[in-house]
């Protein structure tokens, strides 16, 4: 076991392939891959032609690929080199503060230029779009984490980027908007009058603050009605997005070799599922193929308890029912999550792969309230220096709890979590926590029953 | 020459000693070191006893040391390991965007938990304070870059940190304040009623927005009147501060070996001088001892043109005349710089070492207006991804100009600059730039003459 704090890799050690979990899924691939993606109108399996209106063809082919390793294109890897490999850090000071026999490691994705793991897929998607002659990407963003990643990626490949940003965030949190504009993106507060759907929302309520659901619908409409000039880009949920993120877990595997340890528990926060999947799947692969017995813990907010309280069923990807239908854990497409600070975890659904793995018992899930996650975040910041993003703080707190359990039991487990981003843009939330102004939301089961009562009835062939 | 983008080092390669330039100063040490630090009241050389009221004794001894290499204490190095070594990155995309034959490298200090180079000295100072039984540090901060570094450092060594923050920043830029509080620091808007000097300012003008000069005076008073319980910490200007920052340049030297290149030009921005000194001095040492002919360019704002237009004379370190007198390039201790966004470069004086080296012709200085620095910053962000801090953008723009000169001349120089921090907290400034709302300040020579007319008349020895 190494006595180091930090495990770095040379840029030549950036993985040359992503890990595609499709061929290793322990459940019927019909429920997790291609043919379980349904057209929102017909509820029939979506054709590549339909999907290609939305996504670059390369992206669609990745979604259905049964190749275990998919080569990372050289231009993508070249951009990864700007900040990758990201460090794996042994949290020795946190261990000491907790007085735990556990060994705590975190992979730190906050070193990317936009401060999160999001560029790992944005770069790949922008490259595919460029290769296929796409002129621009449309996308939606809440607080702006994903939007700024895609804006940077599009800028690198010289394609336009149109971001529909939830209006209340656009007005109240201007900094991410400025960041997107710094990379040359066009940012539109949503609902807008640029789309029919936006116009219809505004006609009903001119003062609508917007929502992620509305913004998705606007971005999708803008792509669909562009005659193929624009495509739509999604920053989570879909298989290829999770696969692009496996660069995180694959690097971590190499770094654990250098540390001469191997994780007993792997922890990540889950919203759509991309940072968790990207970090966990390469370790899960070892469970499947080499008999390791690592536990996997997905951590979600009690305010949006998709895995722990949602239904495992077919549902629409967005509230306007314009995005494809997939089988996933869902709180219902009409679900509007409370305004917690972890904006990236406020999604009604969950990546189909993660839903399926959870359903099959391969990964565990827990839900934490935001006061306890900020408590963990503060403890982490004071021990390790880095101020975590509110999303990542869910993984932080779960890790601390796990480490304290080790102390109680006197066991020396190796715990690894993904610190998916920093909290430089979230200090207002820390301010609320420090002054006891944070609210705890528990989503009531009755509400979930109501919101999931009218899910589409799907009969697979 | 390596074909890599990024040159990383293992944590075992963090330098074990800082480089102390004192013995190598090419000019009379009496003007640059210990015995040119004068008591603000008597204008006589300050005694260690007087200075020890303000600073930890170890810090004072470093200021007068003639040892070329001073060992970095193990507890300091251990904390450096949380983010150091920082990467040296070849800006291949920027080179391509500029179509220049120059090779551009930047050392990126924005990877520290607070996003700048400042912790390199904050950690050392907090460790010395802890060792000497000091209960707390007082300090001042403008926008909060330095304050958050010291807050983090004090938290690591479990000593209190009292930060006097310029009131207008405290109110308008709350995020850095929250960051300091996250690390457990106490932050007071300055002028305050906690000090006599603050009370006197408030008596004259209850609505005073504060200034760095006032905040320094409050922090110094709080330390001086604490009966030795508190010491005062300064984040730039003084010799030991510059020396602690040489960890940056020393790492860069090792990284250039890996890159198999050596810089022809070394560039850094200058406010008090610590990031420039820390990056440049180890290379300057090679000029002195190994006959390399690297050029050094210090870049300051036209709004605060200390090196390019100031007087080289003895002056007070603060506007209240309570801090020691040193010989430096100065715009006069009563100088109030215009409100440019590069808050860290708004200081009337300059590190005595840098002033002396500039006076002796060892380093060059240029001044840039803020519109052109943001122009450079935008170009850099779009090429390399990272959004630079407004301070660092001065070095960015100077580098771009140098690289374009290479293109004109058809010469392939190696240019290295210190990217001292990221701009996540400065996006409002980018917003102003993107919307053409930035103002250019040129400080008029007549004003400088006036402000430097009443400098203290000092006769040495």
């Amino acid at each position: 076991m190494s006595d180091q704090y930090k495990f770095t890799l040379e840029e030549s050690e950036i993985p040359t392939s992503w890990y595609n979990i499709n061929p290793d899924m322990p459940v019927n691939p019909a429920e997790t891959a291609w043919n379980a993606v349904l057209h929102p109108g017909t509820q029939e399996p979506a054709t590549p032609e339909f999907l290609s209106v939305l996504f670059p063809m390369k992206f669609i082919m990745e979604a259905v690929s049964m190749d275990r390793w998919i080569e990372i294109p050289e231009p993508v890897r070249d951009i990864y080199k700007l900040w990758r490999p990201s460090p794996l850090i042994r949290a020795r000071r946190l261990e000491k503060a907790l007085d735990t026999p556990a060994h705590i490691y975190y992979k730190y994705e906050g070193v990317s230029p936009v401060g999160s793991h999001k560029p790992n897929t944005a770069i790949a998607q922008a490259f595919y779009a460029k290769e296929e002659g796409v002129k621009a990407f449309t996308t939606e963003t809440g607080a702006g984490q994903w939007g700024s990643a895609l804006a940077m990626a599009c800028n690198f490949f010289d394609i336009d980027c149109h971001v529909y940003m939830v209006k209340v965030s656009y007005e109240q949190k201007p900094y991410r908007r400025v960041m997107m504009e710094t990379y040359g993106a066009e940012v539109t507060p949503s609902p807008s009058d640029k789309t029919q759907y936006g116009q219809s929302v505004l006609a009903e309520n001119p003062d609508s603050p917007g929502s992620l659901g509305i913004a998705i619908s606007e971005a999708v409409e803008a792509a669909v009605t562009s005659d193929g000039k624009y495509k739509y880009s999604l920053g989570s949920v879909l298989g290829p997005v999770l696969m692009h993120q496996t660069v995180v877990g694959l690097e971590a595997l190499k770094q654990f070799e250098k540390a001469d340890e191997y994780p007993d528990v792997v922890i990540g926060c889950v919203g759509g599922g991309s940072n968790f999947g990207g970090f966990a799947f390469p370790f899960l692969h070892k469970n499947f193929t080499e008999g390791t017995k690592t536990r996997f813990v997905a951590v979600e907010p009690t305010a949006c308890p998709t895995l722990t309280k949602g239904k495992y069923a077919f549902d629409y990807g967005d509230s306007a029912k314009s995005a494809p239908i997939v089988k996933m854990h869902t709180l219902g497409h009409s679900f509007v999550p409370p305004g917690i600070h972890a904006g990236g975890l406020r999604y009604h659904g969950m990546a189909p792969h993660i839903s399926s793995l959870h359903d099959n018992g391969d990964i565990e899930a827990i839900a934490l309230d935001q006061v306890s996650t900020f408590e963990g975040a503060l403890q982490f910041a004071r021990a390790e220096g880095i101020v975590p993003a509110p999303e990542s703080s869910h993984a932080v707190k779960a890790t601390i709890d796990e480490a304290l359990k080790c102390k109680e039991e006197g066991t020396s487990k190796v715990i690894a979590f993904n610190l998916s981003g920093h909290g430089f843009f979230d200090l207002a939330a820390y301010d609320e926590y420090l002054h006891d102004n944070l609210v705890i939301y528990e989503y009531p089961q009755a509400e979930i029953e109501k919101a999931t009562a009218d899910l589409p009835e799907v009969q697979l062939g």
Side-chain angles (χ1 to χ4, degrees), chain A:
Chain A
M1 195 187 64
S2 164
D3 61 355
Q4 281 176 222
Y5 281 71
K6 198 152 65 322
F7 300 89
T8 47
L9 299 171
E10 293 289 326
E11 67 178 41
S12 58
E13 294 174 282
I14 295 174
T16 51
S17 298
W18 293 299
Y19 167 57
N20 176 21
I21 201 171
N22 283 351
D24 294 325
M25 285 298 284
V27 285
N28 175 10
E31 290 197 354
T32 56
W34 178 247
N35 41 6
V37 174
L38 311 180
H39 190 290
T42 63
Q43 302 188 3
E44 295 290 323
T47 60
E49 287 67 36
F50 165 72
L51 289 170
S52 74
V53 174
L54 287 178
F55 304 111
M57 190 50 78
K58 193 80 183 284
F59 184 85
I60 298 169
M61 297 317 289
E62 286 180 346
V64 294
S65 172
M66 292 301 267
D67 294 337
R68 188 167 285 110
W69 302 101
I70 292 186
E71 196 183 334
I72 304 177
E74 210 47 44
V76 173
R77 243 177 130 250
D78 266 358
I79 294 182
Y80 281 176
K81 290 175 187 170
L82 293 178
W83 71 92
R84 304 210 69 84
S86 68
L88 179 79
I89 302 171
R90 170 98 183 262
R92 292 180 183 273
R93 288 175 188 277
L94 180 62
E95 292 169 15
K96 204 173 157 196
L98 299 173
D99 188 24
T100 174
H103 294 186
I104 302 173
Y105 290 83
Y106 61 98
K107 181 77 171 160
Y108 185 41
E109 287 293 299
V111 294
S112 89
V114 297
S116 79
H117 64 293
K118 289 291 184 191
N120 297 329
T121 183
I123 302 291
Q125 293 189 44
F127 172 67
Y128 295 154
K130 179 69 178 181
E131 269 202 317
E132 296 177 22
V134 175
K135 294 269 174 285
F137 257 137
T138 65
T139 197
E140 73 289 332
T141 201
Q145 193 82 274
W146 165 244
S148 48
L150 190 67
M152 179 178 80
C154 287
N155 159 71
F156 282 145
F157 290 108
D158 199 23
I159 59 179
D160 290 345
C161 182
H162 293 186
V163 183
Y164 290 85
M165 184 175 189
V166 176
K167 196 192 273 171
V168 61
S169 297
Y170 181 93
E171 284 165 357
Q172 286 174 7
K173 298 180 179 174
Y175 294 140
R176 282 277 181 195
R177 190 253 306 153
V178 179
M179 197 158 187
M180 293 183 257
E181 290 174 351
T182 296
Y183 294 126
E186 186 185 326
V187 186
T188 300
S190 165
S192 76
D193 57 9
K194 290 193 176 168
T195 67
Q196 287 199 344
Y197 185 68
Q199 288 166 16
S200 76
V201 173
L202 287 173
E204 210 168 289
N205 177 9
D207 298 324
S208 164
S211 74
L212 210 53
I214 297 170
I216 293 178
S217 303
E218 288 210 284
V220 165
E221 182 187 323
V224 167
T225 58
S226 72
D227 269 336
K229 273 195 300 189
Y230 304 164
K231 302 272 174 180
Y232 167 72
S233 176
L234 193 67
S236 193
V237 180
L238 301 178
V241 177
L242 273 59
M243 183 187 78
H244 299 153
Q245 294 293 353
T246 59
V247 66
V248 179
L250 292 167
E251 283 180 6
L253 272 177
K254 294 189 193 189
Q255 288 163 315
F256 269 109
E257 263 178 49
K258 292 203 175 190
D260 202 14
E261 298 223 73
Y262 194 83
D264 298 300
V265 191
V266 162
I267 295 173
C269 64
V270 281
S274 80
N275 101 74
F276 177 82
F279 186 53
F281 286 0
F283 292 98
L284 196 55
H285 178 233
K286 299 270 177 201
N287 269 18
F288 291 157
T289 59
E290 297 180 21
T292 52
K293 302 236 181 288
T294 300
R295 278 176 55 216
F296 297 89
V297 183
V299 192
E300 61 186 13
T302 53
C304 191
T306 323
L307 282 173
T308 51
K309 292 194 174 175
K311 221 178 216 174
Y312 185 42
F314 280 94
D315 196 6
Y316 299 94
D318 69 332
S319 42
K321 305 186 188 179
S322 57
I325 296 170
V326 291
K327 188 165 183 187
M328 58 182 173
H329 283 78
T330 178
L331 299 168
H333 53 269
S334 61
F335 170 75
V336 179
I340 55 168
H341 287 286
L345 306 185
R346 294 172 70 234
Y347 182 64
H348 71 275
M350 181 56 63
H353 288 87
I354 290 176
S355 295
S356 169
L357 289 162
H358 179 253
D359 190 59
N360 196 51
D362 295 301
I363 61 177
E364 307 163 28
I366 58 171
L368 295 175
D369 71 73
Q370 68 175 349
V371 170
S372 70
T373 62
F374 275 96
E375 184 190 300
L378 202 79
Q379 216 168 354
F380 183 83
R382 291 189 177 175
E384 298 289 317
I386 296 167
V387 177
E391 291 84 359
S392 322
S393 301
H394 287 70
V396 169
K397 177 60 175 171
T399 298
I400 289 174
D401 290 347
E402 197 70 45
L404 291 176
K405 212 163 62 187
C406 285
K407 182 180 172 179
E408 229 170 75
E409 297 168 351
T411 56
S412 168
K413 283 185 193 153
V414 176
I415 309 169
F417 75 94
N418 193 12
L419 188 62
S420 55
H422 61 60
F424 286 138
F425 290 100
D426 306 285
L427 288 165
Y430 279 84
D431 203 21
E432 284 186 25
Y433 171 73
L434 288 166
H435 296 92
D436 291 330
N437 289 327
L438 271 189
V439 178
I440 291 183
Y441 300 95
E442 294 276 353
Y443 210 74
Q445 192 66 42
E447 286 297 316
I448 297 171
E449 297 301 332
K450 218 168 72 185
T452 53
D454 68 333
L455 300 186
E457 303 259 341
V458 172
Q459 305 288 340
L460 276 191

